[in-house]
Amino acid sequence: MNISEIIMRSRNGEPCTREQIIWMLSLPPSSPESYQIMAEARRISQELTPDRAEVHAQFALNLAPCPMNCKFCSFAVINKIFEHSFQLTAEQAVKNALILEAEGASAIFVMSTALYDFGDFLEMGREIKRHLKPETPFIANCGDGTTKEAMQLKDAGFTGVYHALRLREGRDTAIDPAKRIKSINAFKEAGLALGTCVEPVGPEHTSEEIADMILFTGSLQPAYSGLGRRISIPGTEMAQKYGMISELRQAQFLAVTRLGLPRTVIGNCTHEPCTVTAAAGANLFWTEIGANPRDTQEKTEEGRGFTIAKCREFYEEAECGVLDGPSAIYNKGVGESGKASFGISRSS
Ligand code: SF4
């Protein structure tokens, strides 16, 4: 295959095939072809969100050992990182949201562990929404849900959701992949904007698995997709067995994801943020406070979490413009309907 030809065809509106995506993922990250892919991904992202990359902010409503046992998560019971629980009060949650909004987050996300009471999630959501500026996109990152629950999220004031079918869902997690897909369909049917991602990528994932997930996320017509690397939780089986991919590999994969997604998907997210991914086409980073499933600290701002200022600095170091104000990705990027089903892929 020839990278210049793939790029030329992509510029002419021809979607990348599964085989092309697999080939691009299989290149060495420091190869000239990988750098060409990263340069093209950056060009596409800068065109889609006119050189205004975004920083969104997330905080957790609770911390609790979670029986869903996703092997990559510090909340998983099996990982034995956190053995106690706590929940924010409504007052604390509103305070967190307002701090992040005042610091310049372009969207506010609230997260909970899978078994957090859904009624409490709605109540907290309504209370936070009441205090946010009306134009600030407000996003739910919660467990799986039914169509009725998705409608309730919408009625509570949420603009959208973050929901992903994780790599090796059902094998590295105790969640049925069909349930994740059903939830994604329910959220979309309720009119919630969908954000998703190919995650959490580790060295054990094959190019074929990643390519299929890139195509799957593109088929959902989300506001954004992207690619996040798995962060090793010290002492866990996954950390010992596999380790992590490098930031350069993350940047290459993220850039391939950008090429593999339809141009209607305007956001290209990655986590955790860094300068090299900004240079390779990331236009959505997250800052986090409070509990974080990739951290062993209860307050991630004292651990792995980056501030909004730090995320902006990553973009600036890569000479990317940064958005001030509410998210354009969420405002423009509400995907159309179209039911999700894994296994849909384009081939040559
Ligand atoms: S990723 Fe979510 S569902 Fe999985 S263990 Fe962590 S909190 Fe639970």
Side-chain angles (χ1 to χ4, degrees):
M1 291 200 196
N2 178 296
I3 191 59
S4 300
E5 197 185 320
I6 292 173
I7 289 173
M8 191 193 70
R9 285 174 181 266
S10 157
R11 284 187 187 182
N12 288 335
E14 204 175 294
C16 290
T17 64
R18 179 174 185 268
E19 289 69 24
Q20 287 169 336
I21 295 171
I22 291 169
W23 179 74
M24 291 189 283
L25 291 167
S26 307
L27 293 164
S30 58
S31 63
E33 290 88 350
S34 285
Y35 280 92
Q36 250 181 291
I37 295 164
M38 290 191 259
E40 179 63 7
R42 179 188 176 125
R43 190 196 66 74
I44 297 168
S45 288
Q46 287 189 314
E47 190 177 283
L48 293 176
T49 45
D51 197 24
R52 286 292 173 271
E54 301 190 8
V55 182
H56 298 185
Q58 173 166 278
F59 67 94
L61 293 176
N62 75 318
L63 180 152
C66 180
M68 295 299 129
N69 277 330
C70 305
K71 291 182 184 170
F72 41 79
C73 175
S74 61
F75 301 152
V77 173
I78 44 162
N79 287 334
K80 298 188 176 76
I81 306 293
F82 299 112
E83 294 185 334
H84 64 290
S85 307
F86 68 76
Q87 300 194 2
L88 297 191
T89 62
E91 201 175 28
Q92 289 167 325
V94 169
K95 190 175 161 200
N96 281 354
L98 293 183
I99 289 172
L100 294 167
E101 187 185 56
E103 285 178 0
S106 291
I108 302 292
F109 288 53
V110 288
M111 192 210 95
S112 71
T113 58
L115 297 191
Y116 184 81
D117 183 79
F118 185 69
D120 289 349
F121 194 93
L122 291 176
E123 207 176 307
M124 295 290 248
R126 280 187 215 104
E127 190 59 16
I128 297 165
K129 176 69 184 172
R130 209 163 62 77
H131 288 82
L132 289 174
K133 292 178 196 160
E135 64 273 24
T136 301
F138 184 39
I139 311 301
N141 182 357
C142 56
D144 287 296
T146 61
T147 304
K148 186 178 165 205
E149 288 166 337
M151 292 301 300
Q152 288 174 313
L153 287 172
K154 179 91 174 147
D155 291 345
F158 286 99
T159 316
V161 291
Y162 175 82
H163 216 68
L165 174 69
R166 281 80 53 90
L167 287 158
R168 301 191 184 177
E169 192 81 71
R171 286 157 68 192
D172 287 342
T173 73
I175 304 176
D176 181 355
K179 195 172 178 189
R180 303 293 286 178
I181 294 171
K182 211 170 160 194
S183 302
I184 289 171
N185 284 327
F187 295 138
K188 284 173 64 72
E189 274 168 25
L192 292 157
L194 173 71
T196 193
C197 187
V198 178
E199 56 122 331
V201 179
E204 73 278 17
H205 297 118
T206 65
S207 299
E208 287 77 6
E209 282 176 285
I210 299 170
D212 286 339
M213 199 56 88
I214 291 171
L215 290 168
F216 171 69
T217 65
S219 76
L220 301 174
Q221 297 173 294
Y224 63 84
S225 183
L227 183 137
R229 70 170 174 167
R230 188 187 60 246
I231 300 297
S232 284
I233 309 292
T236 61
E237 182 201 330
M238 285 211 131
Q240 284 157 4
K241 208 162 155 187
Y242 302 121
M244 284 162 62
I245 60 169
S246 66
E247 288 184 351
L248 185 61
R249 188 59 119 179
Q250 179 186 356
Q252 174 202 1
F253 287 172
L254 174 73
V256 176
T257 305
R258 178 60 276 173
L259 260 75
L261 292 171
R263 297 293 192 275
T264 47
V265 182
I266 63 173
N268 194 35
C269 68
T270 197
H271 205 62
E272 294 173 338
C274 62
T275 301
V276 65
T277 50
N283 60 7
L284 172 51
F285 283 160
W286 283 278
T287 179
E288 295 167 289
I289 58 173
N292 167 1
R294 286 166 303 281
D295 208 338
T296 53
Q297 300 274 335
E298 277 189 18
K299 294 182 176 179
T300 195
E301 59 272 33
E302 294 168 5
R304 300 197 68 91
F306 292 117
T307 60
I308 293 175
K310 186 68 192 171
C311 289
R312 292 181 72 99
E313 193 184 310
F314 288 132
Y315 285 133
E316 284 157 9
E317 288 290 356
E319 302 198 6
C320 297
V322 189
L323 180 78
D324 291 315
S327 168
I329 292 172
Y330 270 112
N331 289 338
K332 287 189 209 152
V334 181
E336 299 298 318
S337 59
K339 292 226 172 189
S341 65
F342 192 58
I344 297 172
S345 61
R346 290 161 292 186
S347 56
S348 53

